[in-house]
Amino acid sequence: MHPDSHSAPAAPGDWRARAAWLKAALDRHNHAYYVLDNPSIPDAEYDKLFHELQALETEHPELVTSDSPTQRVGGAPLPQFEQVRHAIPMLSLGNGFDDEDIIAFDKRVKDGLSSEADIAYATELKFDGLAISLRYEDGVLVGAATRGDGTTGENVTANIRTVRAIPLRLHGDKAPQVLEVRGEVLMYKNDFARLNQRQRDAGQKEFANPRNAAAGSLRQLDSRITAQRTLRFFAYGIGVLEGTAMPASHSALLDWYSELGLPVCKERAVVQGADGLLKFYHGIGAKRAELPYEIDGVVYKVDRLDQQQQLGFVSRAPRFALAHKFPAQEALTVVQGIEVQVGRTGAITPVARLAPVFVGGVTVTNATLHNEDEVRRKDIRIGDTVIVRRAGDVIPEVVTYVPESRPADARLFDMPKTCPVCGSEIIRLDDEAIARCSGGWVKCSAQRKGGLQHFASRRAMDIEGLGDQLIEQLVDKNVITTAADLYRLGLTALAELDRMAEKSAQNVLDALEKSKSTTLARFIYSLGIRHVGEATAKELARHFGNMDAVLAANEEQLLEVADVGPVVARSIVSFFSDSLNVELVNQLRAAGIHWSEGAGIEIQAKTLAGKTFVLTGTLPTLTRDEAAHMIEAAGGKVSGSVSKKTGYVVAGADAGSKLAKAEELGIAILDEDGLQALIKTGPQDAPETAAAE
């Protein structure tokens, strides 16, 4: 019910009817103010209605529902955020930076669709905020999670309920059974300015930019703090949909969202071909400064959803979409000093200490100079006025100096001979641009900290609660030396650290115990071997199948692995030729770190080579990551969308549109048992289908 007048209900003595009317009226006014930017009543009148509803709910507690406007004030602090696994991953987008990138994207789309005609694209803004997934069941908001790593995020439902731009109940009488809305939480520029003014008045630290303010506000354990900050939301995508038909196009999806009361940005359009994309980009760029919120580019998506399905995904990004970034922003400032930082691999990086300058949405005080050769090539000196560039989340860099502003006493930078952290000799090999501290983990605490931070990171061992500050304390107080020491920590040692209560310490110990069950690829990546990223770690795990084989591999054997070239092969051999690194691996395994080789199935042959799989629904005993690992270990590929090229769909409970698409195309469908049988025997001996529950 969304009344069109402010008059009271017909039966003034009926407090149930009055409460229902007040809820509907407040919802309507919230929508007008936060979504339509068109307030329908004065703030004082809104407050009067709100307090009346509060009083009724206090007198009659049975009136309180989860979708009541009074439930936006926040509740008691949480001990920590729960982890939420996304039923459908929240993928990142590929980037384009110039006109040629966009023309190439359009060509790839046309080639992928075998089309010579111009493609219809939905165009929208790339907001500078925090990606969120909202889950509605029968029209009522029941959950919200951050993007996290794309597969697993944090449960921020209590905080999202305080965001007045987000409806607690969808509009209309025909809400789907389940709807997962993907979108962005952000803070408008004027709300950001008011928040920082309050921070200054309270003598508290100011936020660097609206994005940090939005993210910090949404990730408060105390939702009452979130409720005090004005956050906005724009919907731009979809996850799970059950109980109604999927719209035919992305633009139709956003139109439907608007009908449901979900905020959708008006700065969007459907355009034709590359020319249409570029016209939209340049048009938005011209009025970027006038927008009430920060953006760092625009997003293009093939409009028709069936064409999106046909194009599918590559790695962690869709083929049907692209983010077109705006050029980096630049500003002038002065180099007050040049120091060096020590990275986790010992890399010595010169860093310019700058007079504070606002650029690219943040206040910058440091900028990378990359390496000694770069400092010499650009001839950057202490005292110079320089141009600093920042693009999106990229680390600020010094572009060049301003010759006419160079003072007479400008000083040259001298690369130190010894590490500023541990005093070890700094060495630079003839074929490398980077100088490195020779101390290693054992001697150099900076390398130790960086290596441990990498080891504990979400894409490596994923040790929740073991953040940078805690690692710094553990290293500075000589509690740990290597990653294996983490698994020897006790409750008392942790609880005695600064800002660590017994409960927090126990949470870290629980996370360490949980991290012991991992995958071989994650374990290899966590070791921090130079040049070995996630993709290479996965290829090593897929090729060798066990850690002992990786340890024993020589350069020639490593070169047989996809994604491994001579430089990477030499780096791996060098890493494991160090007895300390081999001992670390052995100690970590002795501490209980283990991984499932195909979830208990010994995979000797590449039984699934050349086959593409799509996972959907919840499997009885395997997570999607575990199932994907099994498939990849057996030589198969895992895709995010169903197409004619899909070999098999592995379906579990609550499988959605992907299962329906597979049935429509006649693609073989497997349950968990069917997948395991297929891995053991290969496609030629396995049944073509197996019932999916």
Side-chain angles (χ1 to χ4, degrees):
M1 168 179 161
H2 292 277
D4 293 319
S5 70
H6 301 285
S7 59
D14 187 344
W15 45 266
R16 289 183 184 277
R18 180 62 180 173
W21 182 88
L22 287 167
K23 288 180 181 180
L26 289 167
D27 279 345
R28 178 168 60 86
H29 298 314
N30 269 330
H31 184 73
Y33 186 93
Y34 291 100
V35 180
L36 304 180
D37 289 325
N38 185 25
S40 50
I41 58 172
D43 289 349
E45 180 66 19
Y46 178 93
D47 292 341
K48 181 180 176 181
L49 297 175
F50 186 87
H51 293 315
E52 183 184 351
L53 178 60
Q54 271 187 322
L56 276 174
E57 291 181 346
T58 300
E59 187 176 351
H60 306 282
E62 67 272 20
L63 291 175
V64 180
T65 58
S66 63
D67 60 333
S68 172
T70 63
Q71 301 307 296
R72 295 188 183 273
V73 295
L78 299 170
Q80 65 183 57
F81 290 117
E82 297 176 352
Q83 296 295 295
V84 176
R85 188 173 181 81
H86 301 300
I88 295 177
M90 297 180 69
L91 301 177
S92 55
L93 296 177
N95 293 324
F97 297 94
D98 52 36
D99 290 3
E100 288 72 21
D101 291 339
I102 308 313
I103 293 168
F105 165 69
D106 178 56
K107 183 179 186 303
R108 288 196 302 272
V109 168
K110 292 172 75 171
D111 289 346
L113 297 174
S114 300
S115 173
E116 295 183 2
D118 280 346
I119 304 298
Y121 294 99
T123 56
E124 53 200 47
L125 306 187
K126 187 176 184 302
F127 304 107
D128 203 9
L130 187 70
I132 290 291
S133 180
L134 309 177
R135 184 177 176 90
Y136 288 88
E137 294 181 0
D138 296 321
V140 178
L141 179 68
V142 297
T146 61
R147 179 184 181 276
D149 63 1
T151 300
T152 304
E154 292 176 322
N155 185 342
V156 290
T157 307
N159 291 345
I160 281 293
R161 289 186 185 281
T162 73
V163 180
R164 296 191 177 187
I166 295 174
L168 299 176
R169 177 182 288 275
L170 299 175
H171 295 184
D173 301 325
K174 296 182 179 179
Q177 294 171 4
V178 177
L179 172 62
E180 284 189 4
V181 179
R182 303 286 167 79
E184 196 97 355
V185 168
L186 63 157
M187 185 175 286
Y188 278 22
K189 295 174 184 176
N190 55 0
D191 294 324
F192 171 70
R194 283 193 287 266
L195 172 60
N196 265 350
Q197 184 61 54
R198 292 199 300 271
Q199 294 291 104
R200 285 193 294 272
D201 293 343
Q204 297 177 341
K205 183 179 178 181
E206 296 181 44
F207 290 95
N209 53 53
R211 180 186 184 182
N212 287 0
S217 300
L218 197 60
R219 298 191 73 254
Q220 291 287 332
L221 291 173
D222 188 343
S223 59
R224 292 170 296 189
I225 296 176
T226 312
Q228 296 169 6
R229 299 175 181 175
T230 306
L231 297 176
R232 312 286 181 134
F233 174 80
F234 284 126
Y236 56 60
I238 191 166
V240 176
L241 176 63
E242 298 175 6
T244 192
M246 183 75 75
S249 66
H250 182 75
S251 55
L253 172 69
L254 298 187
D255 290 341
W256 181 48
Y257 278 170
S258 186
E259 293 172 7
L260 294 175
L262 291 160
V264 177
C265 182
K266 64 181 181 181
E267 302 290 349
R268 58 190 173 96
V270 175
V271 304
Q272 301 294 319
D275 289 343
L277 296 177
L278 293 172
K279 183 178 180 181
F280 179 81
Y281 172 81
H282 293 297
I284 292 297
K287 60 180 180 181
R288 178 184 181 188
E290 303 168 10
L291 295 172
Y293 37 73
E294 296 284 358
I295 63 172
D296 55 7
V298 299
V299 174
Y300 309 136
K301 298 173 185 174
V302 172
D303 193 35
R304 281 174 44 185
L305 298 191
D306 62 333
Q307 291 182 335
Q308 290 188 9
Q309 288 276 348
Q310 185 177 343
L311 288 164
F313 301 84
V314 55
S315 184
R316 297 178 59 84
R319 289 191 179 94
F320 55 79
L322 188 76
H324 191 174
K325 295 291 199 72
F326 287 126
Q329 294 178 273
E330 298 179 340
L332 287 175
T333 188
V334 175
V335 177
Q336 297 179 328
I338 299 178
E339 302 173 4
V340 296
Q341 289 182 342
V342 186
R344 67 176 176 87
T345 63
I348 304 293
T349 304
V351 176
R353 304 303 183 192
L354 307 170
V357 61
F358 194 75
V359 55
V362 300
T363 300
V364 171
T365 56
N366 304 315
T368 182
L369 290 165
H370 299 292
N371 55 59
E372 184 179 14
D373 288 350
E374 190 75 352
V375 180
R376 300 282 178 257
R377 184 182 68 79
K378 292 181 177 178
D379 191 21
I380 305 298
R381 303 183 187 185
I382 300 166
D384 275 344
T385 296
V386 294
I387 297 172
V388 178
R389 175 186 295 157
R390 181 179 181 275
D393 292 330
V394 177
I395 298 171
E397 68 169 340
V398 175
V399 180
T400 187
Y401 76 100
V402 181
E404 58 269 26
S405 299
R406 170 168 285 173
D409 59 350
R411 291 180 288 125
L412 292 168
F413 164 71
D414 290 322
M415 174 66 80
K417 304 298 182 186
T418 59
C419 173
V421 175
C422 70
S424 298
E425 183 184 4
I426 290 176
I427 298 173
R428 178 178 169 184
L429 300 178
D430 292 338
D431 59 346
E432 291 193 356
I434 302 293
R436 298 182 188 277
C437 164
S438 60
W441 271 43
V442 177
K443 293 182 181 179
C444 186
S445 63
Q447 292 184 60
R448 203 175 311 147
K449 291 174 185 177
L452 289 166
Q453 288 163 1
H454 174 79
F455 181 85
S457 64
R458 178 164 288 173
R459 297 189 183 280
M461 296 303 290
D462 191 20
I463 306 172
E464 181 72 22
L466 192 63
D468 294 356
Q469 292 182 347
L470 180 54
I471 287 173
E472 288 197 10
Q473 284 194 71
L474 290 168
V475 172
D476 289 342
K477 296 183 178 183
N478 296 315
V479 178
I480 59 175
T481 302
T482 72
D485 294 335
L486 291 169
Y487 295 93
R488 304 186 186 102
L489 288 172
L491 185 63
T492 302
L494 275 173
E496 289 177 349
L497 297 174
D498 296 342
R499 303 177 68 180
M500 284 291 287
E502 187 172 311
K503 183 174 179 58
S504 301
Q506 186 60 55
N507 289 338
V508 173
L509 292 179
D510 291 344
L512 281 162
E513 187 64 31
K514 181 182 177 182
S515 75
K516 290 180 181 179
S517 179
T518 185
T519 66
L520 177 56
R522 277 179 174 268
F523 181 76
I524 294 171
Y525 176 64
S526 75
L527 297 174
I529 306 168
R530 281 184 64 200
H531 307 303
V532 175
E534 284 183 90
T536 302
K538 183 176 287 188
E539 292 296 341
L540 288 167
R542 180 187 298 173
H543 183 87
F544 290 106
N546 63 79
M547 193 65 213
D548 291 330
V550 177
L551 288 168
N554 57 35
E555 285 191 35
E556 185 177 344
Q557 292 168 324
L558 287 165
L559 288 171
E560 295 175 359
V561 180
D563 202 37
V564 172
V567 172
V568 178
R570 282 196 300 270
S571 179
I572 296 169
V573 169
S574 174
F575 184 87
F576 290 121
S577 66
D578 187 329
S579 61
L580 290 175
N581 291 330
V582 176
E583 179 62 21
L584 173 63
V585 171
N586 292 334
Q587 287 183 8
L588 288 169
R589 291 198 285 189
I593 292 179
H594 62 280
W595 44 87
S596 157
E597 300 294 344
I601 296 173
E602 192 66 30
I603 300 171
Q604 301 293 345
K606 302 300 182 185
T607 53
L608 304 183
K611 299 296 181 182
T612 299
F613 291 73
V614 172
L615 301 168
T616 182
T618 303
L619 299 175
T621 67
L622 297 173
T623 66
R624 286 201 189 183
D625 278 349
E626 289 169 341
H629 173 66
M630 290 172 60
I631 292 166
E632 290 170 347
K637 294 183 179 180
V638 178
S639 173
S641 61
V642 178
S643 70
K644 293 179 180 178
K645 296 179 181 179
T646 303
Y648 298 88
V649 168
V650 182
D654 302 320
S657 59
K658 292 178 184 177
L659 176 58
K661 181 73 170 178
E663 291 171 340
E664 178 186 333
L665 295 175
I667 292 168
I669 299 165
L670 305 171
D671 61 8
E672 184 178 307
D673 290 340
L675 172 63
Q676 294 187 2
L678 190 70
I679 290 173
K680 284 181 178 178
T681 63
Q684 65 276 15
D685 299 319
E688 280 298 299
T689 60
E693 297 182 12

